[in-house]
Amino acid sequence: GNSVTQMEGPVTLSEEAFLTINCTYTATGYPSLFWYVQYPGEGLQLLLKATKADDKGSNKGFEATYRKETTSFHLEKGSVQVSDSAVYFCALSLNDYKLSFGAGTTVTVRA
Amino acid sequence: DVKVTQSSRYLVKRTGEKVFLECVQDMDHENMFWYRQDPGLGLRLIYFSYDVKMKEKGDIPEGYSVSREKKERFSLILESASTNQTSMYLCASLPTGTPDGTQYFGPGTRLLVL
């Protein structure tokens, strides 16, 4: 079946630190890959996505590259801010419109 | 912008009560989804609907049912609420033909069953 494994948290960082959240997947086929973010008290919103191998998704200073050879889609940001404190979810979708999510990683950035 | 709204942000119910969670989207999307979110488990799909009056079970449908009488509205029903249904419930929508499957989420309903 399809599954997503992401780095366990929680992660606590200082402002301007480098953030990496690891995500690997198992899928029967060639999925689209996503990072969703959930800010405190809100629903999920799409952060970035990639639809094929070697694509790089980017948004708000975050980046992730679709690596087919390692079945990974790690999220990175070079300099985090307090406003980046949130829960981050890695997810995949095949052609059936359903999303499979990882467990989520809670990130706290301290000033 | 796509807007997905959920009827309540917080809800407290008693064991055995019938609970209705409502979700409305304003972008004429064909597909709608109900998830529950629990710490350490991520989001798990309960039910989804790809058209009016159509529904399919997700990964954890037990104890839940759904209703889709109008395209814009998708209801999740807990026939007899139990304490293990205390959770955050998230609704999402998606137009058919979206090449990459990006879903749009509502703000969530945090349900406490006592």
Side-chain angles (χ1 to χ4, degrees):
Chain A
N2 305 319
S3 66
V4 176
T5 303
Q6 67 180 96
M7 174 178 147
E8 289 186 24
V11 174
T12 303
L13 302 164
S14 298
E15 240 180 348
E16 300 183 3
F18 185 85
L19 171 67
T20 299
I21 304 176
N22 290 339
C23 172
T24 57
Y25 67 89
T26 303
T28 52
Y30 301 100
S32 294
L33 300 174
F34 305 83
W35 278 100
Y36 278 85
V37 60
Q38 184 178 36
Y39 298 106
E42 298 183 12
L44 272 68
Q45 54 185 273
L46 179 68
L47 179 60
L48 54 83
K49 64 188 177 189
T51 58
K52 61 184 188 297
D54 300 325
D55 270 1
K56 178 187 281 188
S58 62
N59 186 26
K60 299 184 180 180
F62 289 89
E63 292 184 341
T65 301
Y66 189 141
R67 301 284 187 204
K68 184 180 167 188
E69 62 276 11
T70 54
T71 62
S72 64
F73 192 54
H74 304 320
L75 183 68
E76 296 182 338
K77 186 172 184 180
S79 177
V80 294
Q81 305 300 313
V82 172
S83 56
D84 294 324
S85 297
V87 183
Y88 293 82
F89 292 94
C90 186
L92 69 83
S93 175
L94 287 162
N95 294 329
D96 58 358
Y97 298 131
K98 292 187 280 187
L99 282 169
S100 296
F101 285 89
T105 302
T106 300
V107 173
T108 302
V109 180
R110 295 191 170 155
Chain B
D1 276 354
V2 177
K3 193 152 179 76
V4 180
T5 57
Q6 296 183 226
S7 51
S8 305
R9 295 299 300 270
Y10 301 94
L11 212 50
V12 180
K13 295 292 181 181
R14 297 212 173 270
T15 302
E17 279 193 75
K18 191 168 186 176
V19 182
F20 293 87
L21 303 182
E22 303 283 337
C23 175
V24 177
Q25 50 94 4
D26 67 356
M27 285 301 292
D28 205 35
H29 289 175
E30 292 81 4
N31 306 283
M32 297 187 74
F33 307 81
W34 274 106
Y35 297 89
R36 64 177 283 175
Q37 179 184 358
D38 299 289
L41 297 177
L43 277 72
R44 293 177 291 166
L45 182 64
I46 304 171
Y47 267 96
F48 67 102
S49 169
Y50 52 89
D51 203 349
V52 175
K53 297 192 185 295
M54 308 300 286
K55 61 185 179 184
E56 287 198 23
K57 294 180 180 178
D59 300 319
I60 51 163
E62 297 78 18
Y64 302 95
S65 62
V66 290
S67 172
R68 183 118 182 252
E69 296 296 319
K70 293 185 178 181
K71 193 174 187 180
E72 67 270 20
R73 187 179 299 268
F74 191 33
S75 302
L76 180 69
I77 303 155
L78 288 66
E79 296 288 342
S80 178
S82 63
T83 55
N84 63 11
Q85 293 178 309
T86 291
S87 187
M88 168 75 98
Y89 290 88
L90 291 162
C91 175
S93 72
L94 168 75
T96 296
T98 304
D100 58 23
T102 302
Q103 293 185 14
Y104 298 88
F105 284 82
T109 296
R110 191 168 292 281
L111 173 67
L112 173 61
V113 182
L114 299 173

